[in-house]
Amino acid sequence: DSGVTQTPKHLITATGQRVTLRCSPRSGDLSVYWYQQSLDQGLQFLIQYYNGEERAKGNILERFSAQQFPDLHSELNLSSLELGDSALYFCASSVGFREEQYFGPGTRLTVT
Amino acid sequence: GQQVMQIPQYQHVQEGEDFTTYCNSSTTLSNIQWYKQRPGGHPVFLIQLVKSGEVKKQKRLTFQFGEAKKNSSLHITATQTTDVGTYFCAGRNFNKFYFGSGTKLNVKP
């Protein structure tokens, strides 16, 4: 158990819909990262927040957005969903922005 | 754009054989991290290398960071079935992390 929690564990939704994925970092960690992992693929870095502010942006689509709240939990919003958005979405946290990342169990999103 | 390439994509070994995965970046990295993801699991941090030419060992695992800080390797000596999983490198350039595509290791008992 890494100490990072993600909800929900599974999500099935239809194309065109909008969903919100939630992440709670380890106690004391200020950075939250979001990654997308498609079937048998590597990890695509989406976005990083540090202490409530966006710090780095990766290959995040315009249909996706994220934020980190004052209590440091983070949400990833995915809208106008397409079949290709089906993937495992991981959240990770770290103390700062250079240290090792601790990954949550992931949210498996299926778009039908 | 920035890319981190990892080879091989798959490796099947007999238990007891050695295994190596290589990571190459198109640009200089600030540091490199290695993660292991078991089937059905999430990535778990193994190690971070920061200095040029750095070598670190963890039991049967040896990690190296190239002199130019553009490549890295992970070598496992005498693999065991518990080593099964996908090994990812992650290079940091400025504020972003770039994960390699991973090497999936299968160990036959």
Side-chain angles (χ1 to χ4, degrees), chain A residues 41-99:
Chain A
Q41 296 293 310
L43 289 154
Q44 283 286 329
F45 168 68
L46 297 178
I47 198 162
Q48 179 200 357
Y49 281 84
Y50 175 76
N51 204 19
E53 298 205 355
E54 183 185 303
R55 178 158 179 86
K57 216 167 190 175
N59 299 324
I60 188 165
L61 300 172
E62 281 192 21
R63 299 183 286 108
F64 296 0
S65 65
Q67 59 184 125
Q68 187 179 28
F69 295 87
D71 67 352
L72 300 177
H73 91 271
S74 178
E75 291 181 356
L76 178 67
N77 300 296
L78 315 176
S79 60
S80 302
L81 286 167
E82 301 174 0
L83 295 177
D85 298 327
S86 294
L88 198 49
Y89 290 84
F90 285 109
C91 164
S93 74
S94 65
V95 172
F97 38 82
R98 293 190 181 87
E99 300 80 6

Side-chain angles (χ1 to χ4, degrees), chain B residues 49-63:
Chain B
L49 304 168
V50 178
K51 297 176 188 173
S52 166
E54 190 169 13
V55 177
K56 285 189 178 181
K57 291 192 176 187
Q58 283 180 353
K59 298 182 182 176
R60 295 176 295 103
L61 278 60
T62 302
F63 303 85

Side-chain angles (χ1 to χ4, degrees), chain A residues 33 35 37 40 42-43 45 48 55-57 90 98-101 103-104, chain B residues 31 33 35 37 41-43 45 48 88 92 95-97 99-101 104:
Chain A
Y33 309 76
Y35 294 89
Q37 185 175 44
D40 278 345
L43 289 154
F45 168 68
Q48 179 200 357
R55 178 158 179 86
K57 216 167 190 175
F90 285 109
R98 293 190 181 87
E99 300 80 6
E100 65 267 29
Q101 298 173 43
F103 282 76
Chain B
N31 64 28
Q33 298 175 347
Y35 292 81
Q37 185 176 19
H42 59 270
F45 174 79
Q48 175 168 281
F88 291 99
R92 190 170 72 86
N95 293 340
K96 298 184 186 180
F97 277 95
F99 273 78
S101 51
K104 189 177 268 189

